[in-house]
Amino acid sequence: MQLGSCFSTHMTYWFKRVGFRVLDNPLGVIFHPVPLAKQILLAFGKAEISAFVQKEDVFVSYDASSTVYAMSASGLEELMKQQLVELKHALEKAQLLIVTLGSAHGYRLKASGELVANCHQQPSSVFQKELTSAEELHPIWQQAITELKQVNPGIQIVFTVSPVRYVRDGLLENTLSKATLFHLVSLLKQSVTYFPAYELVNDVLRDYRYFETDGVHPSGQAAEFVWDFLKQELFPEPTLEVIAEILKLRQMEEHRLLYPESKKAAAYRDSVKQKRESFLSQYPVVVW
């Protein structure tokens, strides 16, 4: 189970590539810790869904990203219920939850006092921007973790901080935000494990060639670098050996054939298919 900022989608790609069953952000990418924790509480019926927003003829929710939408309020209500049921079932069964915190800068609705998951291009006068303190973030996450562990005591919870720097807030403001997220993790250290994705990208790689052209978002190469560390942190040696076998098969499947219509190419595809089927019969738990 993956929840959090856009960097979590990079890790989801690798988990799926090596055969794990993963649910990634059913309410869309969310950056602030409060609406992230609220998702868990919503899934277990411990919080109320916020008011919907109408943008022309589209309806969106302050609890979700703009990718979660419908063309009517009733349609959005049904969609939100479906996504939360999916989230609940995943959290009940998941062996691992990875939470990627993006930013402690949030937008609070002046009318209700709620911190939103997304502003949905509403007027700035509707919100009050803030840097939420770790002491304010801690209670809702402690509640969410408590609720989660009551229904799934064996789940492993890993927190990480997104290596994406939110320079639109300002460089100093981004640093203060990331420091706040690190402080939150320290307050939760008895309940969660920390994985240093931020440090691996910004302190180990430390080179703009590992970022996209905007100089902010880590590249696919940087994500693979982080994944190599994450898999070593999470998995025992037998699992790593299976992962290595899966990646070899993936590379064989993705091999570009010079003459795809030839008999030699057909024989190669048949050979790869047989190897994949043999492997999956040995490891049926793998999701291909």
Side-chain angles (χ1 to χ4, degrees):
M1 179 75 231
Q2 293 259 19
L3 292 175
S5 81
C6 53
F7 191 73
S8 68
T9 60
H10 283 287
M11 294 300 100
T12 294
Y13 165 80
W14 281 102
F15 276 105
K16 288 185 175 181
R17 185 167 173 79
V18 299
F20 287 95
R21 192 180 305 279
V22 185
L23 179 62
D24 178 27
N25 285 313
L27 294 185
V29 167
I30 294 174
F31 303 96
H32 194 276
V34 168
L36 269 177
K38 186 182 177 184
Q39 283 189 63
I40 297 174
L41 297 177
L42 284 169
F44 293 124
K46 302 298 181 180
E48 298 293 329
I49 294 176
S50 299
F52 294 159
V53 182
Q54 185 173 358
K55 296 167 57 178
E56 298 178 353
D57 58 343
V58 176
F59 288 80
V60 289
S61 170
Y62 277 134
D63 291 320
S65 82
S66 56
T67 59
V68 180
Y69 70 93
M71 304 311 295
S72 66
S74 60
L76 181 59
E77 183 178 8
E78 183 60 30
L79 177 60
M80 289 286 291
K81 287 179 180 178
Q82 291 174 2
Q83 297 301 90
L84 288 170
V85 167
E86 186 179 22
L87 174 59
K88 178 176 182 286
H89 290 164
L91 290 172
E92 287 172 341
K93 298 176 181 178
Q95 294 177 300
L96 173 68
L97 167 64
I98 298 180
V99 179
T100 305
L101 304 174
S103 175
H105 284 289
Y107 292 84
R108 193 179 293 276
L109 284 167
K110 292 180 179 178
S112 66
E114 290 182 286
L115 278 158
V116 300
N118 194 294
C119 291
H120 298 304
Q121 300 174 318
Q122 296 304 293
S124 59
S125 59
V126 174
F127 306 99
Q128 180 68 47
K129 185 178 180 181
E130 66 173 52
L131 177 64
T132 313
S133 71
E135 288 77 12
E136 291 177 86
L137 299 173
H138 177 251
I140 188 170
W141 262 109
Q142 196 60 66
Q143 181 188 3
I145 291 169
T146 299
E147 294 291 340
L148 176 55
K149 289 199 170 183
Q150 284 179 353
V151 297
N152 187 350
I155 192 170
Q156 181 182 2
I157 304 173
V158 176
F159 269 57
T160 192
V161 173
S162 170
V164 177
R165 293 174 299 149
Y166 300 102
V167 295
R168 285 183 297 180
D169 290 322
L171 291 174
L172 174 60
E173 288 76 9
N174 173 74
T175 301
L176 291 170
S177 168
K178 298 296 185 183
T180 300
L181 300 179
F182 291 132
H183 187 192
L184 171 61
V185 173
S186 73
L187 295 175
L188 295 170
K189 64 183 178 181
Q190 300 302 320
S191 306
V192 306
T193 303
Y194 177 70
F195 177 76
Y198 180 91
E199 294 86 341
L200 286 170
V201 174
N202 290 290
D203 297 330
V204 178
L205 293 180
R206 299 181 64 184
D207 194 313
Y208 278 105
R209 65 191 167 122
Y210 294 107
F211 289 80
E212 301 292 351
T213 53
D214 61 7
V216 173
H217 291 85
S219 66
Q221 187 180 6
E224 184 174 358
F225 179 81
V226 173
W227 162 254
D228 285 339
F229 278 86
L230 180 59
K231 70 182 182 184
Q232 296 290 338
E233 187 82 12
L234 292 177
F235 306 128
E237 190 59 35
T239 304
L240 294 174
E241 291 172 1
V242 174
I243 286 173
E245 288 187 59
I246 292 171
L247 290 176
K248 285 180 183 178
L249 283 170
R250 292 285 192 197
Q251 289 169 356
M252 292 173 69
E253 282 190 331
E254 294 161 1
H255 177 66
R256 294 183 64 182
L257 299 167
L258 184 58
Y259 304 112
E261 299 86 359
S262 67
K263 291 181 180 179
K264 187 175 181 180
Y268 177 83
R269 287 192 293 267
D270 286 342
S271 173
V272 173
K273 181 181 178 182
Q274 290 173 14
K275 289 179 180 179
R276 183 184 68 240
E277 290 176 350
S278 174
F279 174 82
L280 292 176
S281 68
Q282 187 179 359
Y283 299 103
V285 71
V286 171
V287 180
W288 202 263

